Each structure stands twice: as structure tokens, then as C-alpha cells.
Amino acid sequence: MASVRFTVTPTKAEDLPDASPDLSARSAGHVRFGSRESVSRSDPQTRHHQTQCDGNSKMSSVYINNSHAVDDDDFYDRNLALFEEEMDTRPKVSSLLNRLANYTNLTQGAKEHEEAESNGEKRKASKAPQMGTFMGVYLPCLQNIFGVILFLRLTWVVGAGGVLQALCIVLVCCCCTMLTAISMSAIATNGVVPAGGSYFMISRSLGPEFGGAVGLCFYLGTTFAGAMYILGAIEILLMYIAPQAAIFIASAAEGEGAALLNNMRVYGSICLLLMSLLVFVGVKYVNKLASVFLACVIVSILSIYIGALVSAFIPPDFSVCMLGNRTVNGHALSDNQCAKTVLGQSTENSTAIPPSATSLTPSAVTTAIWKHFCDSSELNATCDDFFTHSKFTTIQGIPGLASGIITENLWSTYLTRGDVLEKPSLPSTHVSAPATNQRPYVFADITTSFTLLVGIFFPSVTGIMAGSNRSGDLKDAQRSIPIGTILAILTTSLVYLSSVVLFGCCIDGVLLRDKFGDSVKGILVVGTLAWPSSWVIVIGSFLSTFGAGLQSLTGAPRLLQAIAKDNIIPFLRVFGHGKANGEPTWALLLTACIAELGILIASLDLVAPILSMFFLMCYLFVNLACALQTLLRTPNWRPRFSYYHWSLSFLGMTICLALMFISSWYYAIVAMVIAGMIYKYIEYHGAEKEWGDGIRGLSLSAARYALLRLEEGPPHTKNWRPQLLVLLKLDEDAHVKSPGLLTFASQLKAGKGLTIVGTVLSGNFLHSYGEALAAEQTLKHLMDKERVKGFCQCIVAHKPRDGISHMIQSSGLGGMNPNTVVMGWPQAWRQSEDPQSWKTFINTVRITTAAHLALLVPKNISLFPCNSEPCSEGYIDVWWIVHDGGMLMLLPFLLRQHKVWRKCGMRIFTVAQMEDNSIQMKKDLATFLYHLRIEAEVEVVEMHDSDISAYTYERTLMMEQRSQMLRQMRLSKSDREREAQAVKDRTSMLRLTSIGSDDEDDTDGAGNAGSSENHRRVQMTWTKERSLQYRASHSGCSTPEGFRDMLSIRPDHSNVRRMHTAVKLNEVIVNKSHDARLVLLNMPGPPRNPQGDENYMEFLEVLTEGLERVLLVRGGGSEVITIYS
């Protein structure tokens, strides 16, 4: 095979300007993209903007052949003339690539807001993002991950859980975030991640329902994180920096906890207000301070490591006073004496030793701690038994890295609230005196357990989304996000794991379990290990927690604004608005109010598990999104980060779920309930979005699997349920003529099951495509109004009966085919000159019978109750004349599941002939209904043989005479039209035209009027014999003698018999069911001979005369109900 080589030939240099012309910029003037956005070539501002963006001076028009100026469209027509008719919807590749090349990622809110806040500065053109992995991802992740827990609670976690369990907690939490980071990296590198960060990834991967639910949970988690950081900063302020700043001071030891909580609430609220004002004033100030806060964190961590190394050689002097094996509160040692008495001169506050006390030296005096255990400062005072029998000892709180203290700190020491911190290795007296809070011991303020420690520690590993949230600022986001995030997690994990080991090796277990450092006079426990001073940690941790709180209050409102702007949650729309520069003012206000709730809790240990739940739920769905996309193998799933696997995502999802219930099972349930409520709200009231999410792909895969399973065999009788095909008719204005059919379908289905709503338009599909789309929109709007869940289908056909036939044959897919057709009764068919409606009706009955489908025909559908008008009483009467698969039994049961028919009773009537035993029939029917588990009243109606009445004979005669008269009138009208056409054309000597058959005349729809008209214009040459024969056979249509002959005809005997049956049944039904809310009865089949179609319609009219609401039921031939389980 010969090879073909394509060559791009450059134009001459002298024909072009200095730089190569950007033809695609010019083509943007007349090429419209799929978004229907077009740029006018005559717009000078647009051309000027394009010129500025290119950075080159352009000629007004550029041509390959520049000898004369022609319209630039001619240039494209020479090369792309074959595609010129599609240029408005399908752009040239050069135009598309130019648009993609000029695309720049918007920043995540900070950069453009800073520019807008500049005083009087003109908004600069957006520059290409230049941030790399280190500054753009790694350091922001470090700043968000390191936080208040590291400085305030990690030592306490090690002391309570022991080194081994603390390592287990840290390892599990870090594995959770690492697996989540792997899944997040895969999602983040599968395309551009705009504003919203994690919310955008989850919502576009799992759909608006999951995205909105998890997005709000992530927002709540970020908001409560801000509250937690503020509480941490206030705790550092009041406990370690300025204890004298407390407003509420407890008068007794019992009220110290309550006073601390009140101080936290007051100062926390003030701090929240100031921080909210700072965020409101400008984001640029928060971003400028971020680097300062990060430097404080790094310096604080380095001081801990240096202090741990120094302690191996020079342990710091932090003495802990012990009474027996119990820890003494350092605040009670006002004289810094850890002893009962000391040697010294007697003072007015001390008492001399009595002469009888020979065991003590004359100069011994009591210390400050004495009065806390004795009723006076006298040496002979009555003291606490444990105090009397125990000795004071002093231990080093920081024994040092080489002391081997880790052997004591390996195992857990969980305490109950109110327990005294004890050191098991110290001797203790056998006196079992219970410790009360009146004594200056160090008590446990909370009951500890492994699950509690998990919930408190987990917030210290959150913050891994900081890199993905800044994707717009990154030079290469798809490379920087995975590397920076994973390196940050590895770094922080190493810091946490090494800190656990260092704390266990350097600090005594008693001091580790002392949460607030009371044994060392209120010094921050981790600060005791810091070098050169504990103030490095105190000041650094305060600034870092303050900065982390600012970051949370900055990011949470923008996350809420991104959710609100997606317009998936209606009641959040107001939070999508803000200041002129885009600042989310209303979202910031809501965030501050929610954070205030966390401030009012006032306990860091109680707030931490709450935000752990929300973050864990967010991470769970990130893993789910990655696993789902990987397993579904959607064509768009092509992440650049290739080191992922669905099993890792499932493992991460499992760990997240386990951590939720381990840390706090009741918080986990509350978080899931909140997410579930948001999910259902978005599902029912939110805006429908098509984002190509994984849930839609999962639905497609599940639907395909289910359809293939349904194809394995016919459904069992127990699984039979009505799958409806509702046939609706539209008028000239595209309005549904009988909307009550959809109301009835919704009542029958109770909103469940397959429902296909179809209509047929007359015409040509090539010319009526727009009308078909409009008809589908009309049907969808009506379905939404009636709350019918299903699909709509519109078919364009030349003849309505052909369209209905095609719809019945082709509707559905696989095993989900409709098994029941619902169609309306042709109203006023007797008065209509056009027989098309009732002939189409009968043809549809024949088609459903041939397709073995059930048929439901509600008559007087306008009188059926709507969904807002339930029937308070009455009966649904079933007239079971012939067995037709059990449809008559099943339909009332289904209707009574709906609120409209729920209060109606059910009566079943059956007809007995003379030879039947009516008593036995009633017993058998009652037994049959009992086995069917259907409650209904049973009645057997006896129909005696009787002679055909004169009324029946006369009714049949009138029916046949009317039918014959209408036929002759239609033929007469056709003759007159054809003869007039023949006179006009003057092309036939016999002045005769061809006469089309009745079937051809009445089957053409409105869309085929033109073809019918052409058919009438066709001239045929008849022989004289044929003309005379035709005139003789049709002479009765225009002479009085012919009408007299028609009046003298005798009715057909079979028609008389059928009319007799209809009249007798109607009499019985009206007599028994005249007050029924709804009457169901068997619908007789149409005659095999099409000549009797009009008589068939008359029989149905007679059968249902005098009944307000009738449902004609015709089964499909298969059993639909069974007595077996």
C-alpha cells in the first residue's frame, strides 16, 4: 500500500508581519464553540484584547495570497470547504488548541482578592502560576497538619496510652491520611481542580448528592477546627502565659473546672470576633502572616528535638513532688518545699515543738503544704491518714534520654475522672484513704480510654487537602500535588512517631499524664523538654494555633461559597454572594456563628472528636471516589499519578470508617445522619447536575448488570408488577389532552416501578425533530408535576397508528419492557366525522393483544380523583366476568396502596349462569381471595336466560343504521370532492376519479394531509362498464329510495346477541355499582373482522352506560397473581 505523507508548507516571510500570525485568534471571530459563545470580528475591544494577549502587533487581515484583500472566510473555504456547514458547532482544531493554550487556572480566592483590595490599583492581568512543590504544597500542608494537638495533647496521649498504644494510634491515623492522600492524588491529577478543592473532587467524582453532603461535612469540620484552634490558643493564654487574666476565679477547688470553662468561653468569643474581623478586612493580611506562623511551628518542633538531645547529657531540673506514690500539685508548694517540716527558725506562722515531742528537732517548722492536709499549722494538728503515714519524695520530671524511663512508659495507664495521678514504682502506705479534691493532688479531669485518645489525636493529622486547595497557584499541579502532599505526610508522620518515642524516653509517666502541668507549677509539659526555654514552645504554639485558626476561618467560608455557587442546595444560595471583590461575607458570618457553638463547648477534648468525624467522613468519600472510578474504568479516568490501586482506596475507606466508630460511635452516627439528611434533601429538592460523576457510572454498570440478569428468563408470577406504557395525545399547541392518565398511573404505581410515557407526532422526523424535543419537554414537565418517576418517549411517524405500533414494539430495554399499556378512551367518537381516533383506538387494542400485553382503558378520566383529593369512603367494585390472568384482582390492591384509594373498600362481583351453583361459587371465590391475602366482599350475581327484548333489538338496529348511514355519507362526500376535482382538471371524459378505500382514507394522520391530497388528484381511466357498475353500486347514497332501503334492513343476528349481553350486563352493573368510586370490568376483545369495528365501540358504550368511573381491563394472557408464597 502506498504511503501518504503530509507536509506543512510555510508562507513567505515578506508576506507576514514580524511574528507568526495567530490565525486562531482571527478565527475566533467567526467560529462558535460548543458553549455557543462567539466573538464578533467587528468588536474592536475584543480584537485589541487579543492583540495584547499575543504581545505582537497584528495586521488587520492576514492572507497567504496577499495580492488583494478579500473576505477572510474565502481563505478558510479554500482548505476547509468540505466542513464549512459545520463550523458553527464544530470548531477548527487550531481554534480549539488556542483556546486551551490561553486557559489559565484561577487561583483559589487569595490572589484575586488581594488585588481587588489594593487601594486604587488597577487590576493586573493574571500571571501564570509559578509556585512549585515546596512552597505551593509541602509547606502549606505542614502548616495545616501541625497544630494545637502536638503541643497541648500529644504528651498526655503518650502518658495515658503508653508508648506502644500511642505509636499504634499515630500509625493508624497516619496510614489513614496516607491512603487518602494517594486516592486524592489520583483524583487531583485526573484533570484540573478549580476552586473548592476537596469538595470539587468529591462532587465531580460522586455526584451532587454525595458532593453536597460531604462538602457540607467538610465545611463543618473546617469550621469546628477553627473553634478548636481558638480554644487551644486561649488555653495556652490562660494556663501558661497570663493565668492572672482569668475573669472567673473559683472560690473552692470544686469550681475550678467551671471557672476555667467560663473563662474559655469569654476569651474564645472575643478572639473569634477579632479573627473574623481580620478575615473580613482582608485575606492578604492572613496570607502574609502565614509564613510567620509556619516559622513558629518549625522553631518549636526543633526546640523539642534539641531539648531531647540535650537531656541525655544535662537533664533539665523540673522536680515533681510526690506524697507516697501520689502526685502533689505544684501550685500548693508556695515555699518550694516538698516536705512536711523543714529545719529553721520559728516564725509567727510556725509553732515551736512541744517538749513532749522528742522525735523532732527543736528547730523543725511546718511547710506550706502542711495546712492542706492538716486542720492547722501546728505540729500536733490532726492530719490526713495518708499524709501521716506517707513520706514526701521528689522525682525528676525530665529524667533524660538516657535514663531508661521508657520501660515504665511502655504500657497504658487509663484513669477515671477524679483519680489521682500515681507513680506505681514508688512505695505507698497500706492506708486506703480516698483522695478528695480538697487535697492538693493532681487529678484526672476526664475519663481516658483508647477510643477517646484516637478521637482527640486524629485532628493533628488533618490538613492534607491544603495542596489540592491551592491547585490554581501551582505551576504544575498534577506533579506538585502528589509529591508535596505525600512528602508532607511522611514528614509529619515521622515527627509524630519520633515525638512519641522521645516523650516516652525523656519524660516521667506522671508528668506525661499531667495534662495541664500542675505538678510543675503550670508549665506546659512539652515546654519542659524544650531548649533553651519553655517559653519557646509556649509562644510558638500560641502563634501557630492562632494562625491555624485564621486559616480555618479563611478557608471555610470559601468552601461554603463554592458549594452555594454550585446551586445544588437551594437554601444556601444566599451564601454564594459577598462583597464586590468576591469575599464571602455572608458565608463568613455563618462560619463565625457555627464556630461560636464550638467555643461555647469550651473544651478542647470535646470539640476534637466532633471535627474528627467530619474529616473522617470526607476522607472516606475521597477513597470511595477513587475506588469507584478505578473499578468502573470510565474512559475519562486517566490520572497522571499512577501509584494507586482500588484495594488501597478500600483499605483507606475501611480505616476511616473504623476510626469514626472507634473514636466516638455516637458522634459517628450523628455525622452520618446529618450527611444522609443533606443527601436526601439534595436528591429531592436540589438542582439536578450532570457532572459525569462516578455514581452515574455506577448506576449505568448496575443497570447493565441487572438488565442482563433479567434476560436470563421470564419473570416469575410472584415478581410480576405493572410496567406501564402510558399513551398520551397532544393537541395543536403541544398540550396533553388527558393529563389525568398520568395521575392515574402515579396512583397505580405509587411512584415506583417502570413507567414510560409516550406520544406520537404526525409528520417527518427530519423536519419535526424540534417539535419532538418540545413534546418530550412537555411530557417531562407533566411527569414532574404529577411526581411520576419514569421515562418519556416521542415518536414521529406518518400515521399515528404506525407510530403507536412502533412504540409498543420498541419501548423498554431487555427485561425492562412494558407489560401494560394505559390509553385513554376516545371521547365523543360518535359525533366525530373523522373515524381516525376510534379506529386508532381499536388498532391499538389489537396490537396489545398480539403483543400479549395487558391493557387498561380508564373511561371518563376527567372524573377520576386527583392526588390531592383522597376518597374518604366508598368501594372499588370488580366485575370478574372472565378470567384474564388475575389483573382484576391485583389492580385494586395496587390502587389501595395509594393515599387516594386507601380508605376505599373492595367488592368483587362475578356472574353465574343458570347451570352454575351460585352458592358454591361464592364459597370458592371467598376461599380463593383468602389464599390471595386480599380482603374483599364477595357477591355472585345470577343472570337468568331471557328473551331478547325489543329495546335490545331496536338498539342494535339503530347501531347498524347509523353505521351504514355514516359510511354512505363519507362515501358521498368523497364522491363530491373527486367529481369537483375532475371538473376542475378537465382531464377525464367520464368525469370520474379514483375512489380510495375507506381504510386508506381514515388512516392518514394530520401530518400526511399533503400526501392524501396528492392521492386524490391522481386521474385514472375507467371503462364504461366499470363506471356503470360503480354508479349502480353507489346509487343508494344520493336517492331517497336508497335511504328507504337502508331503513328497511334487518339487524345481524350476531350483533343482536352481543347487544343483548351488553345491555343485560350494564343493567346488573348499574344496579349493583351505581354508587361505587371505581368500577373495574373485563374489556371484551375487538372483532376479528374489521368491518365490525364501529359496532364494537357501540357495544363498549352500552356496557359502560350510567357509570361514572370505569376502568376497562384486558389481561395479557399470563398469570399475574398467585396464591403461593
Side-chain angles (χ1 to χ4, degrees), residues 176 196 220 246 351 384 395 511 534 547 552 659 672 797 858 880 989 1051 1085 1088 1120:
C176 174
L220 292 175
T351 305
D384 181 75
I395 63 173
L511 185 57
S534 61
S552 298
L659 286 177
M672 288 183 172
W880 192 18
M989 295 299 295
R1088 297 178 180 177
V1120 301

Side-chain angles (χ1 to χ4, degrees), residues 567-624:
N567 200 23
I568 58 174
I569 305 177
F571 67 84
L572 290 181
R573 291 174 184 169
V574 65
F575 300 107
H577 307 290
K579 294 193 296 186
N581 59 357
E583 283 292 327
T585 307
W586 294 107
L588 177 61
L589 181 61
L590 179 64
T591 302
C593 293
I594 297 176
E596 178 63 22
L597 297 178
I599 297 295
L600 294 178
I601 296 176
S603 175
L604 185 69
D605 301 326
L606 296 180
V607 175
I610 297 177
L611 65 99
S612 294
M613 293 301 109
F614 293 125
F615 278 119
L616 280 169
M617 184 167 292
C618 178
Y619 296 165
L620 184 148
F621 281 101
V622 169
N623 286 292
L624 175 62

Side-chain angles (χ1 to χ4, degrees), residues 1057-1085:
R1057 289 174 45 248
R1058 289 186 175 90
M1059 183 62 74
H1060 175 69
T1061 302
V1063 171
K1064 294 294 292 183
L1065 278 175
N1066 179 259
E1067 291 178 357
V1068 175
I1069 294 174
V1070 171
N1071 183 36
K1072 296 288 186 179
S1073 303
H1074 63 276
D1075 59 344
R1077 294 289 184 179
L1078 179 63
V1079 177
L1080 286 77
L1081 68 148
N1082 293 108
M1083 180 180 182

